Amino acid sequence: MRQPLIAGNWKMNGNLASTRALLDAVSAQAETVAQSVEVAVLPPCVYVPETSTRLANTSVRWGAQNLSEHASGAYTGEIAAAMLTDFGCHYVVVGHSERRALYGETNTLVAAKFAAAQAHHIQPILCVGETLDERDQGVTLTVVTQQLEAVIQHSGVEALQRAVIAYEPVWAIGTGRTATPEQAQEVHAYIRSMIAEYDATIANSVRILYGGSVKGNNASALFAMADIDGGLVGGASLDSAEFSAIIQAAL
Ligand code: PEP
């Protein structure tokens, strides 16, 4: 049985005061569902120390939105996995489409970041997904295969036992245009079947989240799909009432 995970990707939003308020609201909501739904938040890196203090002794896990593929050294502006470990990060997002598109992150780099996280016992949340052009060209499954294969070739399929996958169609991120539950389920089932070609047990146990304009009013239908194990939530995770409705939909 895969426990649903609802993870809030706060992106580059908020300030110290709003971060504190949101952390308090989310931890209160998460307590009521702690037995059945896992809740995590991914604040901007500079607020990770505050997050670790505020969420200590709660059921909410936290993490970062990015990390360096390097362990340490002359990489100005970068954050190493060991630094995230110092502040109790359980998760780190790798391969988010905004980082792929805006910062040129390739499948090879994403695979290296995935491995760097796991080397420090942080679970990567590996984002995969196609652009609208790629969907229109009918190459969605090819794109997702290449994104996943890069990680499997680098770290081995066993590494997926200590990771979460997030299917996030790029055309649905921040656009208000959600994939239909059937569209999402088709890709989620494909991802699981692709992993099953390597190892059926791992395929059955790995959590595959859906991300892309998840809101309180569409979450239940998405989470009802057999291969959707929760959500990676961007915009709606900044609104505590909306995020709470999404958490409830995963019950
Ligand atoms: C995301 O950033 O991962 C995301 C899914 O954003 P949104 O929910 O705003 O589409």
Side-chain angles (χ1 to χ4, degrees):
M1 198 52 195
R2 300 182 297 266
Q3 186 182 35
L5 168 61
I6 306 297
N9 172 16
W10 294 358
K11 311 198 191 197
M12 195 176 75
N13 290 297
N15 54 35
L16 185 54
S18 69
T19 294
R20 285 177 171 151
L22 199 46
L23 289 170
D24 291 348
V26 172
S27 58
Q29 292 153 8
E31 286 322 310
T32 66
V33 298
Q35 301 307 314
S36 8
V37 181
E38 184 186 341
V39 177
V41 293
L42 307 157
C45 217
V46 72
Y47 298 130
V48 164
E50 177 69 16
T51 300
S52 72
T53 305
R54 220 133 179 127
L55 294 184
N57 308 316
T58 77
S59 63
V60 184
R61 286 179 160 150
W62 62 90
Q65 300 168 15
N66 183 32
L67 85 167
S68 171
E69 70 277 26
H70 301 290
S72 66
Y75 301 102
T76 301
E78 293 290 287
I79 308 284
M83 299 170 185
L84 299 179
T85 305
D86 274 346
F87 290 95
C89 285
H90 189 84
Y91 293 114
V92 65
V93 178
V94 297
H96 191 279
S97 66
E98 286 153 15
R99 297 219 54 92
R100 292 181 190 263
L102 302 174
Y103 302 98
E105 293 197 4
T106 61
N107 285 343
T108 306
L109 179 60
V110 171
K113 290 188 173 202
F114 182 104
Q118 287 199 332
H120 288 84
H121 310 291
I122 301 173
Q123 285 209 20
I125 300 177
L126 170 66
C127 299
V128 298
E130 80 288 1
T131 62
L132 191 53
D133 259 10
E134 290 162 342
R135 175 159 282 262
D136 289 344
Q137 286 166 34
V139 295
T140 296
L141 301 184
T142 308
V143 169
V144 167
T145 300
Q146 287 165 349
Q147 291 169 332
L148 261 172
E149 277 290 350
V151 167
I152 294 173
Q153 295 312 317
H154 189 289
S155 295
V157 73
E158 302 74 27
L160 295 179
Q161 287 174 299
R162 293 170 286 117
V164 174
I165 296 169
Y167 168 59
E168 299 206 306
V170 179
W171 47 271
I173 297 180
T175 59
R177 183 180 163 190
T178 322
T180 64
E182 293 73 23
Q183 281 174 321
Q185 167 60 23
E186 182 193 5
V187 181
H188 281 235
Y190 170 76
I191 290 171
R192 215 177 285 289
S193 71
M194 184 208 144
I195 298 168
E197 285 177 24
Y198 290 92
D199 188 308
T201 307
I202 294 172
N204 195 42
S205 63
V206 68
R207 290 184 293 184
I208 309 176
L209 311 184
Y210 168 78
S213 298
V214 177
K215 308 273 184 252
N217 63 8
N218 59 27
S220 302
L222 286 159
F223 299 163
M225 293 288 134
D227 290 294
I228 300 184
D229 306 313
L232 180 56
V233 184
S237 68
L238 296 167
D239 177 329
S240 62
E242 194 73 28
F243 195 55
S244 173
I246 294 169
I247 293 169
Q248 294 295 323
L251 274 174

